[in-house]
Amino acid sequence: MKQTIFRRHRQLEGWPLVFTILVTVGILVGGLVEFIPLVLVKDNVPRIASVKPFTPLEAVGRDLYIREGCVNCHSQMIRPFRAEIERYGDFTKAGETVYEHPFLWGSKRTGPDLQRIGGKYPNLWHVRHMEDPRSTNPQSIMPPYAWLLKDDLDFAVIPGRLRALSRVGVPYTDAEIADAVANAERQATAIAQDVAAQGGPAGLERKEIVALVAYLQRMGTDVRTSQAPAGATATDVATPDSVH
Ligand code: HEC
C-alpha cells in the first residue's frame, strides 16, 4: 500500500503541469478555508462598546501627531506587565485601537508611553509643554513644537479625512461628516476657552494646538473611568513621573 502511494506520488511529480495545478488548487482551498471566516465572522475583531471613533477635531489632532513624528519617541501600547501598568495605567486592549488607521502603537520610548495620557494633565499643561517642554519639566529632552500655537488649523480638510476613515471601516455617518467642521469648531472653542480661563494664551481656537490637545486628552480614556480631578490647573500637577 505504502509502496503504491509512493510510486503514484513519484509519477505525479513527473508531470510538472498537472502537479503545479493540483498544488495551486490545494493552496487555494486551504487559503480560503482560513481566510473566509476571518472576513465574515465579525467577532474576530475584538470590539469594546465604550470605544467610539475620534471626534472630528481629535481625528485631525491625530494627523498632526503623525505629521510631527511624535510616534518616533512615544509608544501607545502599555504591555500587561506590572511595571508598565503601575507607571502608565491599565494595559492596552486590542479593541481599543480598532478605529486607528494607521495604528500608532510605536516601538520606541524616548519619552513615556502616551496610551493613557488623556485626562492626566489639564489642557493648559499640554499647551505649555508643547510650546516648550522645558517649561513643565526642566530636564526634558523633548523638542519644542511652538509653531502649533501659531499655525492655523485647516478645518476645511476635516470632512475629507473622516470620509477616508469611513472607507476603511470607521463608522462615521454622513450626517456626522456634514457637521464635522462645525463640530470641530465647537470643541476647539471649548478647549481654547478653558486654556484662556486657566491663565494661558488667549485666541487659540483656530490654531493647530487645540486639535493636538483634543487628541491627547482623548487618548486611552474610552475604557477608563478615572479622570484628572475637576478644576485642576497646570500648576497643581507635579510631573515627577515624566522625568527620565
Ligand atoms: C525626541 C523625542 C520626542 C519627540 C519627537 C516627542 N516627544 Fe514627547 N516626550 C519626550 C520626552 C523625553 C518626554 C518626557 C519629558 C517631558 O515631559 O517633556 C516627553 C513627554 C511628553 C508628554 C508628557 C507625558 C507624561 O506622561 O508626562 C507628552 C504629552 C508628550 N511628550 C507629547 C508629545 C507629542 C504630542 C509629540 C509630537 C508633537 C511629542 N511628544 C514628541 C520625547 C519626545
Side-chain angles (χ1 to χ4, degrees):
M1 177 69 186
K2 213 170 154 200
Q3 284 298 317
T4 353
I5 294 179
F6 189 66
R7 221 181 35 243
R8 292 255 166 85
H9 194 267
R10 262 289 145 87
Q11 218 169 29
L12 256 181
E13 282 179 339
W15 303 328
L17 189 64
V18 178
F19 194 63
T20 308
I21 292 171
L22 287 177
V23 166
T24 311
V25 169
I27 291 175
L28 279 179
V29 170
L32 286 177
V33 167
E34 296 260 318
F35 181 71
I36 290 175
L38 265 183
V39 180
L40 293 186
V41 182
K42 264 199 145 168
D43 295 346
N44 273 324
V45 183
R47 282 179 200 279
I48 303 172
S50 61
V51 173
K52 302 274 183 277
F54 291 110
T55 68
L57 189 68
E58 291 157 6
V60 279
R62 192 172 186 277
D63 287 343
L64 296 176
Y65 186 97
I66 295 170
R67 184 189 78 188
E68 300 297 353
C70 315
V71 72
N72 293 318
C73 284
H74 291 285
S75 58
Q76 293 188 28
M77 164 66 77
I78 304 167
R79 291 171 288 186
F81 306 142
R82 181 162 177 188
E84 300 239 330
I85 293 167
E86 291 200 349
R87 180 165 178 195
Y88 299 125
D90 202 5
F91 64 89
T92 308
K93 321 286 182 299
E96 281 186 80
T97 49
V98 285
Y99 299 133
E100 307 234 353
H101 301 281
F103 65 80
L104 296 173
W105 299 320
S107 58
K108 181 91 168 63
R109 280 184 183 161
T110 305
D113 188 281
L114 295 181
Q115 163 78 17
R116 305 262 174 242
I117 192 71
K120 182 176 173 186
Y121 302 114
N123 293 333
L124 176 57
W125 187 93
H126 285 293
V127 173
R128 294 217 168 115
H129 182 247
M130 283 299 141
E131 187 178 26
D132 177 16
R134 253 70 62 201
S135 70
T136 52
N137 180 350
Q139 293 131 321
S140 178
I141 56 156
M142 180 168 137
Y145 292 87
W147 58 86
L148 295 172
L149 281 75
K150 298 192 194 91
D151 291 353
D152 286 332
L153 180 67
D154 191 356
F155 283 84
V157 302
I158 298 177
R161 297 283 162 87
L162 297 196
R163 224 169 285 122
L165 285 170
S166 78
R167 286 253 167 91
V168 290
V170 183
Y172 290 117
T173 63
D174 287 345
E176 278 168 345
I177 294 176
D179 182 49
V181 174
N183 183 319
E185 284 170 346
R186 280 195 298 276
Q187 194 180 0
T189 306
I191 292 172
Q193 280 172 354
D194 179 60
V195 168
Q198 293 193 340
L204 292 180
E205 55 273 352
R206 301 202 70 82
K207 302 296 174 193
E208 289 183 334
I209 185 76
V210 285
L212 187 65
V213 171
Y215 170 58
L216 289 171
Q217 295 290 34
R218 172 74 183 274
M219 275 161 65
T221 57
D222 281 5
V223 296
R224 201 179 52 173
T225 45
S226 62
Q227 293 284 319
T233 65
T235 43
D236 290 341
V237 182
T239 60
D241 63 342
S242 56
V243 179
H244 293 269

